Amino acid sequence: MGVHHKPLRSAAVLGAGTMGAQIAAHLANAGLQVHLLDMPASEGPRNALVDRNLKAATKAKPSTFFTAGTVAQIRTGNFEDDFARIADADWVIEAVVERLDIKQQLMARIEKVAREDTIVSTNTSGILIRDIVAGRSNLFKSRVLGTHFFNPPRYLELLELIPTDATDPDITEKLAWFGRVHLGKGIIIAKDVPYFVGNRIGVYSMLGAMEYFTSGTYTIEEIDTLTGPLVGRPKSGTFRTADLVGLDVMKDIGALLYDALPKDESRERFRVPEVINSLVARGALGAKSGAGFYRKVGREIRSLNLQKGSYEAARPLKLGSIRSIRKAGSVAHRLRELYGDKGRAGQFFRKTTQDTLGYAARRLGEITDSPANIDKAMRWGFGWELGPFQIWDVLGFRQVRNDMEAADVQLPAWIESMPAGASFYEGQRVWTPSSGAMEKVHVPADETPLAAVKARPAAELWSNNEVGLLDIGNGVALLEFRSKANAMGKEVIGGIMSAVERVENDSRLRGLVIGNEGRHFSVGANLKEMAGAFMLRRFSVIDSFIDQFQQAMQRIHYAAKPVVVAVHQRALGGGCELVMASPNPVAAAESYMGLVEAGIGLIPAGTGCMRLAARVSASGARHDNDLLAALMPRFEQIAKAEVATSAEQAKEMGFLPRHAKVVMRGRRRFHVAKWAVVGLSEQGYMPPAPAPVRVLGQPGYAALKIGIHQMYKGGFATDYDRHIAERVAYVMTGGDLSGAQDVSEQYLLDLERTVFLELLKNTKTQKRIAGMLAGKPVRN
């Protein structure tokens, strides 16, 4: 049986700095009512400080809030006038400056005011929790723990929970459950040691890479290349990441770690590099000050010349065969190629990797007992595709251990005792030093990956080259996309049709989930596949494909059994149309949906225009003027290729129905989608009834053209943008109809397809498509 705690409904965040304001924002995203408090302003309105910081959070890029309206769930205040309000909160989060004395003083005040059943946490990146609660009563200590959110809290998955010896285990379990299910976090229970798990390893690794710059061995750009996407890490690499974090913050973290770790054999690594001290002293704090290791001059990004102290244009990379390594395939293949490289790139990677792996191995038992927790911390908190021990396995345990011994990298005894043919992972088990054996890696049942499903006997019911139909239990099947970038070509479209038919005709199956575990849900229709027919001028073939695409979307919408599309991350163009076709979709909160075809000179023709027009028609507008007002923003979304920045915004934009289930933790989407199918089946599912679509005809088209003209005159659209927008308006208002009337969905689908083909034959559209396929977007 699963654990079902009572959800937290309200929270108070004490401290409205960058981190506090963003934590408050994410709690509001999760549906909580939030009090955000800080010091009163010295002059002017008492809440001016808090209000200013909250306003800054609303303008942050990427967006801190799911929707513009979410900020209304936050009520600001100050420590003097409004502290009593924390008595209303289920969870109080202290997020003030990283100073032990201030945190201790605030804890004393919280104890006097908070309810006895309120969970209290301190958000710190490294101060010991037991020191923060020193002097408080045992009862109060029992409900206090550390919470270390990673910045930005909305987007970084990791949440470290740090209980003390006095923390009630039930409190830790409840907050771990709430953080995972309601905040969407990957939870690690960390030991109460300096800087916990993620920062301890991550900062060590970053400072190690920086040493190759301060020694003059490698340039900033070379190091960022070798610590970025090439090795499965964020594109910000080492130095851009430092600039984003803030060099003043990096300085403080390094100094605090150095002071807090007198017994760490690698303590000197945390001594703040002189270059950081120098940059901070002159106000070069990174991105927030406009200069750090990098500085933008006009349109040029320049980097720091260590000897001169000035910024200069990037020098050519001297990394040998780096281009061929980039093309080696998966991150595992790239890592192996790079490790074996004989040039400067391989030398840097071998030395820094061995150094980080050795340090991570030496920290086992001190910061956490499981290698899996270190790997999770680096994946979820620092954006690595593979954690240190996963990298070790990829490169080969025996080879790397031998190389580390030859390089005099200090290894703990437990590594030395592992057999030569060993690995850290075997399936879902990981080698655990404390037991000297493989132990199961805990994966919540509602986050079971598809790989584990496919490992079950007879799990695959059917497949073709680009999709597979899986039995995921409880009478539910799942159609998994397996095409490159989950693009939707003939095999995928044919697979959708076959899967729906198979599910409908199998009395053992209740319904179907459509989803995948790709980086993104789908980039849309397979344009490369379509390009072959286009190059041969075989427009009838393209017409047939678009017709089949439309039929597949309608097949989903009107299927006799429930079809739930489980979307995550980007769903663009045809991918968005697929989600829109599902009457009951499930969406990861971080789903970015949009009909973006206008950007390549086309219009949505896989039911996108029709579906939005139909939703406007069904919105309850009683008069044509009301219908036009409702249609205008939907038309503009297509004409401007706008993309929703969250699932909640996708609801506002009509890409998702208002009743769509939104899952804060995307890894749970298949579980939620499966039980949505079961629930719909149990209640006696009936597909939607076809309904006429009210369109405005030529009067509506003329009204939309006025807006298009204004957009063009204002310099927001090129002449061809204007032409595309007019063709979108033509379709969404029903074409050449003289006035408003009801039409069928098929009527609009035929219009979509006709206009799509018309635009495809235009040389300007062809140039846009060619530019997109070449990775060089064209706007003509």
Side-chain angles (χ1 to χ4, degrees):
M1 295 294 289
V3 176
H4 304 284
H5 293 285
K6 177 183 176 182
L8 305 175
R9 301 297 301 276
S10 59
V13 178
L14 309 182
T18 299
M19 200 62 184
Q22 293 208 28
I23 290 171
H26 195 55
L27 296 176
N29 288 335
L32 278 75
Q33 297 297 314
V34 184
H35 301 277
L36 180 60
L37 311 181
D38 209 319
M39 295 295 292
S42 56
E43 57 184 31
R46 299 277 285 172
N47 295 340
L49 173 66
V50 184
D51 291 340
R52 182 175 68 248
N53 289 350
L54 182 58
K55 184 176 181 180
T58 65
K59 296 180 178 180
K61 299 294 180 184
S63 179
T64 302
F65 292 94
F66 283 170
T67 69
T70 307
V71 69
Q73 291 170 218
I74 299 177
R75 183 183 176 195
T76 58
N78 66 77
F79 289 163
E80 291 185 7
D81 303 330
D82 306 295
F83 204 81
R85 279 165 36 194
I86 73 171
D88 299 330
D90 297 329
W91 182 10
V92 174
I93 303 174
E94 172 271 300
V96 297
V97 65
E98 289 280 83
R99 274 183 49 184
L100 178 60
D101 57 336
I102 294 177
K103 288 179 179 289
Q104 288 176 330
Q105 292 166 18
L106 197 54
M107 281 292 168
R109 292 187 67 186
I110 293 170
E111 183 175 14
K112 293 177 181 178
V113 178
R115 300 193 315 260
E116 289 190 359
D117 63 342
T118 295
I119 295 174
V120 179
S121 72
T122 171
N123 188 69
T124 173
S125 57
I127 300 177
L128 299 183
I129 312 305
R130 60 179 177 270
D131 290 345
I132 293 173
V133 296
R136 308 276 53 81
S137 69
N138 289 336
L139 179 62
F140 183 72
K141 288 179 182 179
S142 71
R143 53 199 175 96
V144 178
L145 72 168
T147 47
H148 181 205
F149 287 88
F150 277 63
N151 191 21
R154 172 181 168 182
Y155 296 99
L156 285 184
E157 192 174 349
L158 181 59
L159 172 58
E160 293 176 324
L161 299 184
I162 310 98
T164 69
D165 291 340
T167 306
D168 184 340
D170 289 343
I171 293 291
T172 304
E173 179 187 305
K174 180 173 182 176
L175 199 55
W177 167 82
F178 185 82
R180 186 178 72 87
V181 173
H182 289 271
L183 299 183
K185 295 300 174 187
I187 305 296
I188 289 178
I189 308 299
K191 295 186 178 185
D192 192 12
V193 295
Y195 284 79
F196 319 126
V197 180
N199 275 351
R200 189 72 172 275
I201 305 300
V203 173
Y204 179 90
S205 178
M206 285 182 66
L207 291 175
M210 286 184 182
E211 289 179 0
Y212 287 83
F213 169 64
T214 56
S215 68
T217 315
Y218 291 79
T219 67
I220 283 177
E221 288 82 5
E222 286 174 336
I223 293 171
D224 275 356
T225 297
L226 294 169
T227 57
L230 177 72
V231 294
R233 300 182 195 174
K235 62 183 179 180
S236 51
T238 296
F239 292 97
R240 289 187 193 278
T241 297
D243 277 355
L244 290 169
V245 169
L247 301 190
D248 52 339
V249 176
M250 287 291 297
K251 176 184 175 181
D252 290 345
I253 290 174
L256 288 168
L257 270 166
Y258 185 84
D259 292 341
L261 301 172
K263 297 181 180 180
D264 190 317
E265 78 289 335
S266 301
R267 183 190 188 201
E268 286 303 309
R269 171 60 56 81
F270 298 105
R271 189 183 291 277
V272 180
E274 187 53 41
V275 63
I276 291 182
N277 288 327
S278 175
L279 287 168
V280 171
R282 72 192 212 195
L285 307 180
K288 58 188 172 186
S289 67
F293 286 109
Y294 287 98
R295 181 180 182 182
K296 189 174 183 179
V297 179
R299 295 187 176 183
E300 184 181 41
I301 303 296
R302 298 180 182 178
S303 60
L304 182 69
N305 181 305
L306 187 62
Q307 286 70 39
K308 298 178 181 178
S310 58
Y311 295 89
E312 59 183 25
R315 286 175 279 170
L317 302 180
K318 297 180 180 179
L319 297 176
S321 58
I322 198 72
R323 289 186 179 180
S324 64
I325 294 173
R326 279 197 177 108
K327 298 176 181 178
S330 68
V331 64
H333 285 97
R334 297 197 302 273
L335 293 177
R336 285 192 283 264
E337 287 287 321
L338 192 55
Y339 193 80
D341 180 70
K342 303 300 182 184
R344 294 176 71 246
Q347 185 179 34
F348 174 92
F349 179 67
R350 282 189 298 276
K351 287 185 176 180
T352 55
T353 298
Q354 291 168 10
D355 179 48
T356 297
L357 300 188
Y359 188 72
R362 297 194 297 273
R363 298 284 70 79
L364 260 295
E366 177 192 347
I367 63 176
T368 183
D369 292 327
S370 173
N373 280 343
I374 290 180
D375 286 343
K376 289 176 183 176
M378 298 312 296
R379 295 199 314 268
W380 296 345
F382 284 79
W384 292 20
E385 288 186 43
L386 298 174
F389 295 100
Q390 292 172 307
I391 291 172
W392 201 330
D393 273 357
V394 162
L395 298 177
F397 172 75
R398 181 177 182 177
Q399 175 71 53
V400 173
R401 184 177 68 178
N402 291 346
D403 292 345
M404 292 166 77
E405 289 173 344
D408 292 326
V409 175
Q410 183 181 347
L411 292 172
W414 68 270
I415 289 286
E416 300 285 2
S417 67
M418 289 178 68
S423 63
F424 294 102
Y425 289 90
E426 289 180 0
Q428 293 299 309
R429 298 188 303 157
V430 65
W431 182 267
T432 306
S434 58
S435 65
M438 286 284 181
E439 294 186 3
K440 187 175 181 180
V441 178
H442 175 66
V443 177
D446 58 0
E447 294 184 21
T448 302
L450 291 185
V453 173
K454 287 184 275 192
R456 299 169 186 164
E460 187 156 291
L461 303 174
W462 171 85
S463 67
N464 66 19
N465 292 326
E466 295 192 343
V467 299
L469 188 65
L470 307 174
D471 181 352
I472 59 173
N474 300 96
V476 180
L478 182 143
L479 184 69
E480 178 192 27
F481 288 7
R482 299 170 181 173
S483 56
K484 185 176 182 180
N486 295 319
M488 300 167 66
K490 290 181 180 179
E491 293 262 23
V492 172
I493 296 304
I496 290 172
M497 299 285 273
S498 294
V500 173
E501 183 175 359
R502 286 171 180 271
V503 169
E504 284 183 333
N505 293 326
D506 190 334
S507 60
R508 297 168 298 176
L509 295 176
R510 295 173 176 270
L512 177 67
V513 173
I514 299 178
N516 61 73
E517 289 181 320
R519 183 178 179 185
H520 299 291
F521 177 76
S522 177
V523 297
N526 190 334
L527 285 180
K528 287 188 177 180
E529 187 177 282
M530 200 183 301
F534 165 72
M535 294 297 291
L536 296 173
R537 316 297 289 176
R538 297 175 64 186
F539 292 106
S540 61
V541 173
I542 298 173
D543 184 31
S544 176
F545 172 73
I546 300 300
D547 181 56
Q548 291 169 12
F549 195 109
Q550 292 176 340
Q551 290 181 39
M553 299 305 101
Q554 292 294 77
R555 192 78 176 84
I556 289 170
H557 192 72
Y558 292 111
K561 293 181 180 179
V563 178
V564 173
V565 176
V567 64
H568 70 288
Q569 292 295 309
R570 292 180 188 170
L572 304 177
C576 181
E577 289 170 315
L578 172 59
V579 181
M580 293 172 68
S582 174
N584 298 283
V586 166
E590 298 300 339
S591 294
Y592 315 121
M593 300 173 58
L595 298 172
V596 297
E597 288 86 348
I600 56 169
L602 296 169
I603 70 163
T607 70
C609 291
M610 179 277 290
R611 198 79 64 196
L612 280 183
R615 288 180 176 175
V616 169
S617 174
S619 65
R622 296 184 178 181
H623 304 289
D624 290 350
N625 285 342
D626 297 331
L627 194 64
L628 178 63
L631 180 65
M632 181 68 78
R634 302 295 175 251
F635 153 73
E636 289 181 351
Q637 288 167 200
I638 297 177
K640 296 179 181 179
E642 294 177 349
V643 176
T645 58
S646 69
E648 292 295 345
Q649 190 180 43
K651 289 185 179 184
E652 293 184 350
M653 296 173 71
F655 297 139
L656 289 173
R658 287 289 181 179
H659 65 265
K661 291 179 172 61
V662 174
V663 183
M664 289 295 286
R665 184 150 177 79
R667 297 170 191 265
R668 300 183 64 245
R669 66 188 181 278
F670 298 134
H671 171 81
V672 173
K674 178 176 78 171
W675 287 104
V677 169
V678 172
L680 290 165
S681 175
E682 281 295 299
Q683 73 187 36
Y685 182 73
M686 289 292 289
V693 180
R694 184 73 173 176
V695 294
L696 293 170
Q698 286 295 302
Y701 177 54
L704 292 181
K705 283 183 69 175
I706 293 172
I708 295 168
H709 181 73
Q710 291 172 340
M711 187 168 61
Y712 173 69
K713 285 296 185 182
F716 300 107
T718 67
D719 186 59
Y720 197 56
D721 290 334
R722 176 174 64 174
H723 176 68
I724 296 164
E726 288 175 352
R727 302 316 286 155
V728 173
Y730 176 80
V731 172
M732 296 188 79
T733 55
D736 294 324
L737 301 177
S738 59
Q741 67 180 72
D742 292 344
V743 298
S744 67
E745 290 181 345
Q746 188 58 52
Y747 174 86
L748 290 176
L749 294 180
D750 291 341
L751 270 181
E752 279 186 357
R753 200 168 65 255
T754 299
V755 171
F756 181 94
L757 290 167
E758 165 204 306
L759 290 170
L760 189 60
K761 296 173 184 178
N762 191 299
T763 56
K764 290 187 176 181
T765 288
Q766 293 166 13
K767 288 180 180 178
R768 289 193 179 193
I769 294 173
M772 188 275 293
L773 292 174
K776 298 178 180 179
V778 173
R779 190 180 181 197
N780 46 21

